[in-house]
Amino acid sequence: MPLDDIVVLLLESPDVVFSSACLSKLADRGIAVITCDNKFMPCAYLSSNLPHSRQTKMAQKQFGMSQPLKKRIWQRIIQAKIDNQADCLAFYEIDGSDQLHQYASQVNSGDTSNRESLAARYYFPRLFLGHSRSDENVINDALNYSYSIVRSIISRSIVAHGLYPPLGIHHKNEFNNYNLSDDLIEPFRPIIDLFVRTYPPRLEYLSTEDRHAYVNLAHLICWIDDKHMSISSAAELMTSSFVEVLNTNDFRKLTLPSVDGVTLKESIK
């Protein structure tokens, strides 16, 4: 298989062994390599650390971002996330999408009123029928697993664009090497939720078949910049637009995805 055809490589078995030459080739092609723990949950991510021609310039621009610009970017991200949550409810004809759109319209700069949390408490029990993100169950396992896959795809794009992954917009955990990924994944989360809602786990635990299905999230179609794109392509476009925000100091340049059902690319059906 040509390496250029691979977006994500997920290593579930502890028996898998790679040579350093193979890992170097994977990193050179910007392939996201994910390893799993003994419960088959993603626990580590290998990304390229090769120098980027604009890496120093982009890092300087990230460090130079003003607080008002960061707050405006976060406002735009959270508005898109809540609107996508509303579209998920509308997709399944569940009451409440109007309320979520109202929450989205109330998000202020920096979301200091915490509409994101309010919307989450309203949204999850409706989409997943009484479900809470604080529960310990297979639905949360499926969501966390799927979020990890898409987070790795976004991280891959961030590194490819010469951005500094630990420096986030809103997330600031000093022990997190991918704060920026955790910022930019937010609008994608409802798209992932809809996929898990449509293809829920078959058993009381994540089966091998479930995990294989969720890896295909890279090929899930969303709507972005007036186009249909796979999540992996949308992540590239979003990251490129974030670079444009840094270059222009205009938060309105940020292009974010929206829900477009649960269609996968024809090539993997």
Side-chain angles (χ1 to χ4, degrees), residues 205-226:
Y205 60 90
L206 282 184
S207 66
T208 300
E209 291 77 10
D210 292 329
R211 296 195 299 273
H212 288 174
Y214 297 144
V215 169
N216 282 334
L217 277 163
H219 303 283
L220 181 65
I221 299 299
C222 64
W223 184 255
I224 185 170
D225 195 29
D226 295 327

Side-chain angles (χ1 to χ4, degrees), residues 208-249:
T208 300
E209 291 77 10
D210 292 329
R211 296 195 299 273
H212 288 174
Y214 297 144
V215 169
N216 282 334
L217 277 163
H219 303 283
L220 181 65
I221 299 299
C222 64
W223 184 255
I224 185 170
D225 195 29
D226 295 327
K227 302 179 185 72
H228 289 103
M229 289 190 185
S230 67
I231 280 183
S232 57
S233 296
E236 288 288 321
L237 178 59
M238 175 189 64
T239 308
S240 178
S241 74
F242 179 70
V243 171
E244 185 67 15
V245 171
L246 293 178
N247 288 331
T248 62
N249 287 316

Side-chain angles (χ1 to χ4, degrees), residues 136-154:
E136 293 186 8
N137 56 36
V138 69
I139 291 295
N140 267 329
D141 289 343
L143 290 172
N144 292 336
Y145 187 90
S146 302
Y147 293 155
S148 296
I149 298 297
V150 176
R151 182 178 185 259
S152 298
I153 294 169
I154 293 171

Side-chain angles (χ1 to χ4, degrees), residues 116-130:
E116 179 188 18
S117 178
L118 185 63
R121 291 196 301 270
Y122 184 87
Y123 158 78
F124 274 105
R126 286 168 172 78
L127 186 65
F128 289 103
L129 307 177

